Amino acid sequence: MLTYTFKIKTTPTLIQKFEQHLGTTRMLFNLAKETREYAYSKGVKLSKFDLIKQLPDLKKEFTWISEVHSQTLQGVIERLDKGYDKFFKDLKKGITTSKPHWARKKDWSSIEFKSSAIKIKNSSFEISKIGKIKIFKSREINGNIKLARVVKKADGYYLQIITDHEIQKCENQAVVGVDLGIKHFLITSDGQFFENIKTTDKYKNELRIAQRRLSRKKKFSNNFYKQVEVVKKIHLKIQRVREDYLHKVSREIANNYQTIFVEDLQVSKMVQNKNYSKAISDVSWSKFTSYLEYKTNVVKVDAKYSSQECNQCGHISKENRKTQESFKCIKCNHEGNADFEASLTVLKRGQSLLRANVGH
């Protein structure tokens, strides 16, 4: 699967339709959540199919809901269902989590359309119930369209096209273990060190000034909302710089290795540590791993004690890693850079996992 993102050439009419669709889908999400929660409180479990079956009656009561494509409405309920699925799976894993939140206007920013609602006409798209959409086309689209998504961002509206096109993966037999860190963003078992560019730090002064100006505006005034948009654009800039770096690093590694071993990190638990939460959020390990997964073969290994295990003798002790950078085994005296040593441990665990799977 591959996602293409294009900026939309908007018109007042088009913006009005987007906002109408956003409002309707947000309302449906909250209504479906309320219905499911109420039913659960009465001891009744409603599946996504139960909720979808109620859509025709809902359209009769509120005719304006029919102005949104039926499969888009179904997709909203499926989106809610995925949120609950994740919630229950996390509970089983012992991960502290929460149920899907209520959809707030400022956070609800995308509308999804199934392939049946999309047609390509020359350099524009025709989306059912929306009409013609012109884009700033920066690249050709490969593969069959599976899904389209209109996304509202601080600097305009974007069209995301998801296709079934598969990225060609590296054909050599090379494997590598990687350690994801904070001091260095990534270290490979081949000795490559990728820096942590600390994206948020680069823009923290600009963001601080913008937020200070926002705090001085009269709440809910025109100037207040204008400054809100300024703050949003800075956050968007930070996000784009970060994602660009993640794509470049993941592409470089994917081009050189057929299989990559990474730690199966429980990031949602790790960010609960107040001392490291901001730094962990800034490096975006989960997003980076997801980028790797569609570019090459990724094998996740147990992350437990990987930074404390000596890859020479296998001895595990927290005393092996007395500082963030240095590693010295208290049993065999093997020493080296702590992050590099961890990447070697990840490599060994990954190779053992592959051998075990082949044996079965």
Side-chain angles (χ1 to χ4, degrees):
M1 303 287 278
L2 190 60
T3 301
Y4 299 86
T5 302
F6 307 100
K7 190 166 187 180
I8 297 173
K9 298 178 180 179
T10 55
T11 64
T13 302
L14 200 54
I15 290 173
Q16 185 179 9
K17 287 183 179 179
F18 289 155
E19 290 298 327
Q20 179 188 1
H21 274 61
L22 284 169
T24 301
T25 52
R26 182 171 63 88
M27 183 277 295
L28 178 63
F29 182 92
N30 287 334
L31 184 59
K33 175 177 164 61
E34 182 182 13
T35 303
R36 182 163 176 163
E37 295 269 339
Y38 178 77
Y40 190 80
S41 69
K42 299 296 181 182
V44 179
K45 292 183 180 180
L46 293 179
S47 69
K48 64 180 178 182
F49 302 107
D50 295 324
L51 293 171
I52 288 173
K53 286 177 183 177
Q54 296 182 30
L55 284 175
D57 290 334
L58 190 65
K59 288 180 182 178
K60 290 177 183 177
E61 187 175 354
F62 304 101
T63 54
W64 43 269
I65 291 178
S66 299
E67 295 178 18
V68 176
H69 196 276
S70 59
Q71 288 189 340
T72 297
L73 298 174
Q74 292 172 19
V76 172
I77 295 173
E78 290 169 358
R79 182 172 171 179
L80 175 68
D81 192 64
K82 286 178 183 177
Y84 278 106
D85 281 346
K86 184 181 183 304
F87 167 69
F88 289 119
K89 285 178 182 177
D90 286 346
L91 281 182
K92 287 181 181 179
K93 293 178 182 177
I95 300 173
T96 303
T97 185
S98 60
K99 296 177 184 178
H101 297 293
W102 296 102
R104 298 185 299 176
K105 185 176 180 180
K106 67 175 185 177
D107 299 324
W108 191 262
S109 58
S110 64
I111 321 153
E112 289 189 351
F113 303 91
K114 301 288 178 68
S115 57
S116 60
I118 312 153
K119 292 180 181 178
I120 301 179
K121 292 188 175 181
N122 299 323
S123 60
S124 64
F125 291 84
E126 189 86 31
I127 297 183
S128 179
K129 304 286 187 176
I130 293 286
K132 184 180 288 186
I133 293 178
K134 292 184 178 180
I135 59 169
F136 294 94
K137 195 172 182 180
S138 54
R139 57 193 297 199
E140 292 300 320
I141 297 172
N142 296 314
N144 299 311
I145 297 175
K146 308 299 289 183
L147 187 75
R149 188 182 295 121
V150 173
V151 182
K152 181 181 180 181
K153 296 188 178 183
D155 63 343
Y157 294 83
Y158 289 80
L159 180 65
Q160 292 181 343
I161 301 294
I162 296 92
T163 73
D164 60 3
H165 180 69
E166 294 291 334
I167 298 177
Q168 187 173 0
K169 297 181 178 180
C170 181
E171 295 181 354
N172 65 35
Q173 300 298 311
V175 299
V176 71
V178 302
D179 178 66
L180 298 171
I182 293 175
K183 182 172 179 60
H184 294 99
F185 168 64
L186 182 144
I187 305 89
T188 74
S189 55
D190 285 345
Q192 277 186 293
F193 285 70
F194 292 87
E195 67 171 319
N196 177 3
I197 61 172
K198 298 180 179 178
T199 318
T200 304
D201 282 354
K202 287 184 178 180
Y203 296 96
K204 67 179 181 181
N205 288 334
E206 185 179 349
L207 185 60
R208 178 173 52 81
I209 292 169
Q211 288 175 329
R212 186 173 62 200
R213 287 176 178 169
L214 177 63
S215 68
R216 292 172 178 171
K217 304 293 183 185
K218 183 180 179 181
K219 277 195 173 183
F220 313 121
S221 65
N222 287 336
N223 286 334
F224 173 83
Y225 286 116
K226 285 179 183 178
Q227 191 61 30
V228 166
E229 293 305 312
V230 172
V231 173
K232 283 183 179 179
K233 285 180 181 179
I234 297 172
H235 279 297
L236 183 61
K237 187 193 298 184
I238 293 170
Q239 177 189 335
R240 284 174 173 165
V241 171
R242 181 188 296 124
E243 289 179 351
D244 179 66
Y245 183 66
L246 297 181
H247 273 300
K248 286 176 179 176
V249 174
S250 58
R251 172 46 57 200
E252 182 175 341
I253 294 174
N255 283 345
N256 295 317
Y257 302 97
Q258 188 181 76
T259 302
I260 299 169
F261 304 117
V262 301
E263 295 171 296
D264 189 9
L265 298 171
Q266 300 296 325
V267 179
S268 57
K269 279 187 176 182
M270 297 171 74
V271 294
Q272 293 174 26
N273 185 323
K274 294 180 181 179
N275 295 324
Y276 296 103
S277 59
K278 287 185 179 180
I280 291 172
S281 298
D282 194 36
V283 288
S284 297
W285 292 329
S286 296
K287 184 171 285 188
F288 173 76
T289 303
S290 70
Y291 288 175
L292 271 181
E293 285 176 329
Y294 73 78
K295 293 174 183 174
T296 188
N297 303 309
V298 173
V299 177
K300 293 182 179 180
V301 304
D302 186 6
K304 198 173 183 180
Y305 305 125
S306 63
S307 63
Q308 300 174 15
E309 180 180 336
C310 176
N311 62 77
Q312 295 295 310
C313 69
H315 181 67
I316 298 173
S317 172
K318 63 180 180 180
E319 298 299 321
N320 287 346
R321 188 170 184 171
K322 292 184 178 180
T323 69
Q324 184 70 23
E325 291 189 71
S326 61
F327 181 98
K328 185 172 183 179
C329 180
I330 59 174
K331 186 176 181 180
C332 70
N333 290 323
H334 172 71
E335 59 183 308
N337 177 277
D339 293 326
F340 176 59
E341 295 299 318
S343 70
L344 292 173
T345 300
V346 171
L347 175 63
K348 289 179 69 174
R349 291 182 180 184
Q351 290 173 325
S352 297
L353 192 62
L354 286 186
R355 286 194 294 269
N357 289 337
V358 170
H360 284 87

XYZ file of all heavy atoms in Angstrom, residues 62-133:
593
model
N -32.894 12.264 9.869
C -32.086 13.447 9.542
C -31.684 13.335 8.067
O -30.658 12.744 7.732
C -30.835 13.526 10.428
C -31.131 13.527 11.903
C -30.976 12.365 12.657
C -31.572 14.679 12.540
C -31.246 12.359 14.019
C -31.847 14.683 13.900
C -31.689 13.512 14.640
N -32.483 13.896 7.193
C -32.288 13.715 5.749
C -30.951 14.273 5.253
O -30.405 13.790 4.267
C -33.432 14.391 4.974
O -33.533 15.770 5.385
C -34.753 13.682 5.264
N -30.425 15.288 5.934
C -29.175 15.907 5.484
C -27.978 14.970 5.619
O -26.929 15.184 5.005
C -28.897 17.200 6.258
C -29.151 17.112 7.727
C -30.309 17.387 8.383
C -28.217 16.707 8.743
N -30.171 17.191 9.734
C -28.893 16.771 9.982
C -26.887 16.314 8.728
C -28.272 16.452 11.194
C -26.261 15.988 9.923
C -26.950 16.061 11.135
N -28.116 13.886 6.387
C -27.024 12.906 6.498
C -26.797 12.221 5.152
O -25.681 11.821 4.819
C -27.348 11.871 7.600
C -27.310 12.545 8.972
C -26.365 10.697 7.574
C -27.653 11.630 10.124
N -27.860 12.133 4.340
C -27.756 11.486 3.025
C -26.866 12.253 2.070
O -26.508 11.740 1.001
C -29.147 11.311 2.411
O -29.951 10.496 3.226
N -26.504 13.484 2.409
C -25.615 14.275 1.553
C -24.166 13.788 1.635
O -23.303 14.261 0.906
C -25.712 15.753 1.932
C -27.097 16.337 1.645
C -27.206 17.797 2.066
O -26.165 18.430 2.254
O -28.346 18.274 2.201
N -23.903 12.841 2.547
C -22.585 12.214 2.638
C -22.698 10.797 2.106
O -23.678 10.094 2.375
C -22.084 12.194 4.108
C -20.755 11.451 4.218
C -21.949 13.618 4.624
N -21.715 10.341 1.344
C -21.742 9.019 0.725
C -21.914 7.933 1.793
O -21.325 7.992 2.872
C -20.432 8.784 -0.043
C -20.492 7.651 -1.005
N -20.287 6.337 -0.629
C -20.743 7.612 -2.344
C -20.389 5.557 -1.678
N -20.675 6.299 -2.734
N -22.744 6.933 1.470
C -23.091 5.886 2.442
C -21.863 5.134 2.952
O -21.772 4.803 4.139
C -24.085 4.894 1.818
O -23.536 4.298 0.656
N -20.895 4.858 2.057
C -19.706 4.126 2.485
C -18.794 4.986 3.366
O -18.067 4.454 4.200
C -18.933 3.612 1.272
C -19.651 2.461 0.569
C -18.787 1.812 -0.495
O -17.827 2.388 -0.967
N -19.149 0.601 -0.875
N -18.874 6.291 3.188
C -18.125 7.191 4.068
C -18.717 7.139 5.472
O -17.983 7.119 6.468
C -18.168 8.634 3.521
O -17.514 8.669 2.247
C -17.477 9.602 4.466
N -20.039 7.095 5.551
C -20.715 6.979 6.847
C -20.365 5.650 7.523
O -20.093 5.603 8.723
C -22.226 7.089 6.668
C -22.753 8.417 6.100
C -24.255 8.328 5.834
C -22.446 9.572 7.027
N -20.356 4.582 6.735
C -19.979 3.278 7.284
C -18.532 3.295 7.772
O -18.201 2.693 8.805
C -20.152 2.197 6.217
C -21.602 1.932 5.837
C -21.734 1.002 4.646
O -20.801 0.272 4.307
N -22.899 1.027 4.006
N -17.684 4.009 7.040
C -16.278 4.109 7.425
C -16.080 4.792 8.772
O -15.144 4.475 9.511
N -16.974 5.736 9.101
C -16.892 6.426 10.394
C -17.125 5.432 11.533
O -16.414 5.433 12.545
C -17.932 7.568 10.469
C -17.984 8.147 11.877
C -17.597 8.656 9.462
N -18.117 4.567 11.357
C -18.417 3.558 12.379
C -17.291 2.533 12.475
O -16.919 2.086 13.563
C -19.769 2.881 12.071
C -20.892 3.919 12.182
C -20.026 1.705 13.008
C -22.248 3.430 11.756
N -16.704 2.188 11.332
C -15.562 1.267 11.337
C -14.365 1.902 12.051
O -13.616 1.212 12.746
C -15.182 0.911 9.893
C -16.210 0.016 9.204
C -15.973 -0.105 7.712
O -15.020 0.547 7.204
O -16.730 -0.839 7.047
N -14.217 3.205 11.891
C -13.142 3.937 12.565
C -13.322 3.875 14.090
O -12.362 3.671 14.830
C -13.165 5.393 12.072
C -12.104 6.310 12.620
C -12.193 7.614 11.849
N -11.373 8.670 12.417
C -11.273 9.889 11.893
N -11.943 10.187 10.787
N -10.505 10.813 12.445
N -14.547 4.046 14.538
C -14.839 3.943 15.970
C -14.566 2.529 16.460
O -13.979 2.331 17.533
C -16.303 4.309 16.223
C -16.805 4.144 17.662
C -16.136 5.157 18.588
C -18.327 4.304 17.724
N -14.966 1.542 15.664
C -14.793 0.143 16.052
C -13.308 -0.204 16.202
O -12.924 -0.940 17.125
C -15.443 -0.755 14.998
C -15.560 -2.201 15.454
O -16.287 -2.448 16.432
O -14.908 -3.069 14.856
N -12.468 0.315 15.323
C -11.023 0.078 15.415
C -10.464 0.660 16.710
O -9.567 0.087 17.325
C -10.308 0.701 14.217
C -10.498 -0.059 12.912
C -9.811 0.643 11.758
C -10.058 -0.080 10.434
N -9.450 0.657 9.288
N -11.012 1.810 17.104
C -10.572 2.435 18.353
C -10.881 1.568 19.557
O -10.041 1.426 20.462
N -12.069 0.973 19.576
C -12.435 0.083 20.670
C -11.627 -1.213 20.635
O -11.237 -1.751 21.678
C -13.927 -0.233 20.630
C -14.782 0.835 21.268
C -15.549 1.699 20.507
C -14.809 0.980 22.665
C -16.330 2.690 21.094
C -15.587 1.966 23.262
C -16.338 2.818 22.477
O -17.101 3.798 23.065
N -11.364 -1.723 19.430
C -10.543 -2.941 19.303
C -9.165 -2.726 19.905
O -8.651 -3.570 20.637
C -10.409 -3.341 17.829
C -11.640 -4.066 17.311
O -12.471 -4.478 18.153
O -11.768 -4.225 16.086
N -8.570 -1.573 19.593
C -7.247 -1.264 20.129
C -7.299 -1.124 21.647
O -6.400 -1.575 22.366
C -6.709 0.027 19.505
C -5.286 0.377 19.949
C -4.802 1.668 19.328
C -3.362 1.955 19.711
N -3.138 2.008 21.168
N -8.361 -0.505 22.136
C -8.533 -0.308 23.573
C -8.543 -1.654 24.313
O -7.824 -1.841 25.306
C -9.838 0.447 23.835
C -10.284 0.445 25.269
C -9.575 1.136 26.238
C -11.428 -0.254 25.644
C -9.994 1.134 27.567
C -11.852 -0.258 26.972
C -11.125 0.443 27.933
N -9.318 -2.611 23.807
C -9.417 -3.907 24.472
C -8.134 -4.731 24.316
O -7.735 -5.457 25.230
C -10.623 -4.682 23.938
C -11.941 -4.108 24.371
C -12.861 -3.639 23.443
C -12.265 -4.014 25.721
C -14.078 -3.099 23.851
C -13.479 -3.475 26.134
C -14.383 -3.022 25.201
N -7.465 -4.614 23.174
C -6.192 -5.328 22.979
C -5.118 -4.791 23.921
O -4.334 -5.558 24.482
C -5.732 -5.192 21.523
C -6.505 -6.061 20.554
C -6.047 -5.854 19.115
C -6.870 -6.687 18.152
N -6.482 -6.439 16.734
N -5.085 -3.456 24.077
C -4.109 -2.850 24.997
C -4.370 -3.286 26.435
O -3.424 -3.515 27.200
C -4.160 -1.320 24.891
C -3.517 -0.805 23.613
O -2.809 -1.591 22.956
O -3.715 0.375 23.275
N -5.640 -3.389 26.805
C -5.984 -3.837 28.158
C -5.444 -5.241 28.426
O -4.921 -5.534 29.506
C -7.495 -3.826 28.360
C -8.169 -2.466 28.636
C -9.663 -2.673 28.862
C -7.554 -1.783 29.848
N -5.564 -6.114 27.419
C -5.074 -7.482 27.575
C -3.557 -7.515 27.728
O -3.006 -8.391 28.402
C -5.489 -8.323 26.362
C -6.976 -8.660 26.332
C -7.329 -9.503 25.131
C -8.826 -9.823 25.095
N -9.189 -10.633 23.902
N -2.869 -6.543 27.070
C -1.409 -6.482 27.169
C -0.946 -5.767 28.436
O 0.250 -5.690 28.706
C -0.844 -5.746 25.947
C -1.021 -6.481 24.633
C -0.468 -5.658 23.484
C -0.674 -6.345 22.148
N -0.194 -5.491 21.011
N -1.905 -5.228 29.189
C -1.555 -4.505 30.406
C -1.098 -3.080 30.155
O -0.467 -2.456 31.008
N -1.433 -2.554 28.976
C -1.033 -1.191 28.624
C -2.115 -0.207 29.082
O -3.306 -0.402 28.807
C -0.818 -1.050 27.098
C 0.276 -2.011 26.634
C -0.465 0.380 26.724
C 0.427 -2.056 25.119
N -1.695 0.825 29.788
C -2.650 1.854 30.228
C -3.149 2.614 29.004
O -2.369 3.189 28.258
C -1.990 2.834 31.206
O -1.470 2.093 32.314
C -2.997 3.859 31.713
N -4.428 2.608 28.812
C -4.988 3.241 27.618
C -6.365 3.802 27.939
O -6.826 3.732 29.073
C -5.074 2.216 26.466
O -5.520 2.864 25.277
C -6.038 1.090 26.816
N -7.015 4.374 26.950
C -8.351 4.931 27.165
C -9.232 4.592 25.972
O -8.752 4.287 24.887
C -8.279 6.449 27.348
O -7.725 7.060 26.197
N -10.523 4.663 26.193
C -11.475 4.416 25.117
C -11.363 5.531 24.072
O -10.811 6.587 24.349
C -12.902 4.386 25.677
C -13.164 3.259 26.656
C -14.590 3.374 27.200
C -14.853 2.315 28.264
N -16.213 2.453 28.831
N -11.904 5.293 22.870
C -11.915 6.375 21.873
C -12.544 7.639 22.449
O -13.586 7.587 23.105
C -12.787 5.792 20.748
C -12.632 4.316 20.877
C -12.503 4.051 22.342
N -11.883 8.774 22.229
C -12.380 10.039 22.762
C -13.542 10.557 21.917
O -13.713 10.167 20.762
C -11.255 11.085 22.777
C -10.110 10.715 23.664
N -10.220 10.642 25.034
C -8.826 10.382 23.369
C -9.058 10.298 25.556
N -8.193 10.117 24.569
N -14.304 11.450 22.495
C -15.335 12.138 21.725
C -14.672 12.960 20.641
O -13.602 13.532 20.848
C -16.163 13.050 22.633
C -16.934 12.309 23.678
C -16.621 12.180 24.986
C -18.153 11.573 23.488
N -17.552 11.404 25.647
C -18.510 11.024 24.748
C -18.975 11.332 22.398
C -19.646 10.246 24.925
C -20.117 10.555 22.578
C -20.442 10.034 23.825
N -15.288 12.995 19.474
C -14.726 13.750 18.353
C -14.995 15.240 18.547
O -16.150 15.679 18.508
C -15.333 13.265 17.038
N -13.923 15.993 18.759
C -14.053 17.442 18.916
C -13.813 18.131 17.574
O -13.047 17.645 16.747
C -13.063 17.958 19.955
C -13.277 17.384 21.349
C -12.337 18.025 22.356
N -10.930 17.783 22.010
C -9.910 18.303 22.681
N -10.146 19.112 23.711
N -8.676 18.027 22.326
N -14.461 19.249 17.393
C -14.384 19.944 16.105
C -12.947 20.261 15.717
O -12.555 20.094 14.561
C -15.204 21.245 16.160
C -15.272 21.960 14.822
C -16.170 23.193 14.892
C -16.231 23.888 13.535
N -17.100 25.084 13.569
N -12.130 20.687 16.693
C -10.759 21.102 16.367
C -9.856 19.912 16.036
O -8.795 20.085 15.426
C -10.159 21.911 17.513
C -9.927 21.131 18.792
C -9.220 22.015 19.813
C -8.867 21.234 21.073
N -8.113 22.068 22.027
N -10.281 18.699 16.432
C -9.458 17.511 16.185
C -9.957 16.665 15.020
O -9.197 15.870 14.462
C -9.410 16.634 17.448
C -8.790 17.356 18.638
O -7.853 18.139 18.412
O -9.266 17.148 19.768
N -11.233 16.814 14.676
C -11.814 15.991 13.604
C -11.470 16.638 12.261
O -12.069 17.627 11.870
C -13.323 15.894 13.787
C -13.981 14.883 12.905
C -14.622 15.115 11.729
C -14.059 13.471 13.126
N -15.110 13.951 11.201
C -14.774 12.914 12.039
C -13.591 12.617 14.137
C -15.032 11.542 11.943
C -13.856 11.248 14.038
C -14.565 10.739 12.949
N -10.522 16.060 11.544
C -9.963 16.783 10.389
C -9.897 15.973 9.101
O -9.266 16.415 8.138
C -8.557 17.280 10.738
O -7.723 16.185 11.108
N -10.513 14.793 9.048
C -10.411 14.007 7.815
C -11.717 13.311 7.460
O -12.528 12.990 8.333
C -9.291 12.963 7.942
O -9.584 12.019 8.948
N -11.896 13.097 6.153
C -13.061 12.389 5.622
C -12.538 11.301 4.692
O -11.693 11.578 3.830
C -13.980 13.321 4.797
C -14.083 14.706 5.440
C -15.354 12.711 4.611
C -14.375 15.809 4.442
N -13.045 10.076 4.849
C -12.567 8.970 4.017
C -13.608 8.570 2.984
O -14.809 8.607 3.250
C -12.208 7.753 4.882
C -10.939 7.954 5.708
C -10.482 6.675 6.394
O -11.242 5.683 6.355
O -9.380 6.682 6.972
N -13.107 8.178 1.794
C -13.973 7.747 0.702
C -13.446 6.431 0.155
O -12.256 6.314 -0.146
C -14.001 8.795 -0.427
C -14.445 10.163 0.027
C -13.515 11.095 0.464
C -15.784 10.510 0.018
C -13.916 12.357 0.886
C -16.197 11.761 0.443
C -15.253 12.693 0.868
N -14.320 5.442 0.023
C -13.925 4.155 -0.554
C -13.720 4.328 -2.071
O -14.161 5.306 -2.678
C -14.995 3.094 -0.270
C -15.268 2.868 1.221
C -14.127 2.148 1.893
C -14.372 1.969 3.392
N -15.459 1.062 3.709
N -13.072 3.360 -2.680
C -12.715 3.451 -4.099
C -13.924 3.627 -5.005
O -13.837 4.276 -6.054
C -11.929 2.212 -4.530
O -12.684 1.036 -4.273
N -15.073 3.077 -4.603
C -16.283 3.175 -5.432
C -16.781 4.616 -5.553
O -17.565 4.938 -6.453
C -17.391 2.295 -4.852
O -17.707 2.701 -3.532
N -16.343 5.490 -4.661
C -16.815 6.883 -4.676
C -15.864 7.810 -5.429
O -16.103 9.010 -5.507
C -16.984 7.381 -3.243
N -14.782 7.239 -6.011
C -13.737 8.066 -6.622
C -13.574 7.742 -8.098
O -13.547 6.576 -8.494
C -12.383 7.824 -5.919
C -12.532 7.893 -4.410
C -11.323 8.818 -6.390
C -11.503 7.088 -3.673
N -13.471 8.781 -8.892
C -13.164 8.631 -10.317
C -12.076 9.626 -10.698
O -12.082 10.770 -10.237
C -14.408 8.876 -11.177
C -15.499 7.815 -11.024
C -16.683 8.140 -11.915
C -17.792 7.099 -11.749
N -18.980 7.438 -12.574
N -11.151 9.174 -11.545
C -10.084 10.064 -12.015
C -10.454 10.574 -13.397
O -10.767 9.796 -14.287
C -8.723 9.338 -12.074
C -8.333 8.811 -10.696
C -7.641 10.274 -12.600
C -7.022 8.060 -10.673
N -10.420 11.895 -13.554
C -10.702 12.518 -14.845
C -9.585 13.486 -15.175
O -9.495 14.577 -14.600
C -12.051 13.238 -14.818
C -13.246 12.289 -14.700
C -14.552 13.027 -14.874
C -15.739 12.067 -14.867
N -17.031 12.776 -15.057
N -8.722 13.054 -16.101
C -7.558 13.847 -16.497
C -6.708 14.188 -15.269
O -6.210 13.306 -14.597
C -8.002 15.104 -17.248
C -8.770 14.752 -18.521
O -8.424 13.778 -19.187
N -9.796 15.514 -18.840
N -6.555 15.456 -14.960
C -5.713 15.847 -13.825
C -6.544 16.180 -12.586
O -6.058 16.801 -11.659
C -4.859 17.067 -14.206
O -5.691 18.158 -14.563
N -7.816 15.775 -12.603
C -8.674 16.055 -11.452
C -9.360 14.765 -10.990
O -9.307 13.737 -11.653
C -9.728 17.103 -11.812
O -10.589 16.613 -12.815
N -9.998 14.860 -9.829
C -10.706 13.722 -9.262
C -12.180 14.077 -9.115
O -12.535 15.218 -8.840
C -10.135 13.364 -7.879
C -8.749 12.798 -7.928
C -7.645 13.630 -7.986
C -8.551 11.428 -7.915
C -6.373 13.109 -8.032
C -7.275 10.900 -7.959
C -6.183 11.735 -8.011
N -13.016 13.078 -9.302
C -14.456 13.235 -9.086
C -14.822 12.375 -7.892
O -14.644 11.150 -7.917
C -15.223 12.771 -10.324
C -16.705 13.085 -10.281
C -17.036 14.482 -10.785
O -16.322 14.985 -11.669
O -18.012 15.053 -10.275
N -15.290 13.003 -6.808
C -15.666 12.266 -5.607
C -17.165 12.404 -5.379
O -17.696 13.516 -5.369
C -14.890 12.768 -4.373
C -13.395 12.526 -4.563
C -15.368 12.058 -3.110
C -12.550 12.920 -3.382
N -17.815 11.265 -5.227
C -19.266 11.256 -5.050
C -19.683 12.130 -3.870
O -19.073 12.102 -2.808
C -19.732 9.816 -4.816
O -21.113 9.767 -4.621
N -20.726 12.932 -4.069
C -21.312 13.851 -3.081
C -20.438 15.094 -2.836
O -20.853 15.997 -2.105
C -21.545 13.150 -1.737
C -22.399 11.896 -1.811
C -23.860 12.224 -2.022
C -24.730 10.979 -1.932
N -26.171 11.269 -2.038
N -19.250 15.130 -3.450
C -18.365 16.295 -3.315
C -18.254 17.035 -4.648
O -18.418 18.246 -4.736
C -16.949 15.888 -2.843
C -16.989 15.354 -1.419
C -15.982 17.071 -2.940
C -17.179 16.394 -0.346
N -17.995 16.275 -5.719
C -17.826 16.873 -7.036
C -16.377 16.824 -7.488
O -15.570 16.021 -6.992
N -16.036 17.697 -8.423
C -14.689 17.703 -8.993
C -13.702 18.355 -8.033
O -13.975 19.404 -7.447
C -14.677 18.452 -10.334
C -13.333 18.418 -11.054
C -13.369 19.178 -12.360
C -14.159 18.431 -13.409
N -14.061 19.106 -14.736
N -12.539 17.716 -7.904
C -11.465 18.248 -7.065
C -10.203 18.377 -7.906
O -9.718 17.394 -8.479
C -11.182 17.324 -5.851
C -12.371 17.317 -4.902
C -9.925 17.753 -5.110
C -12.199 16.400 -3.709
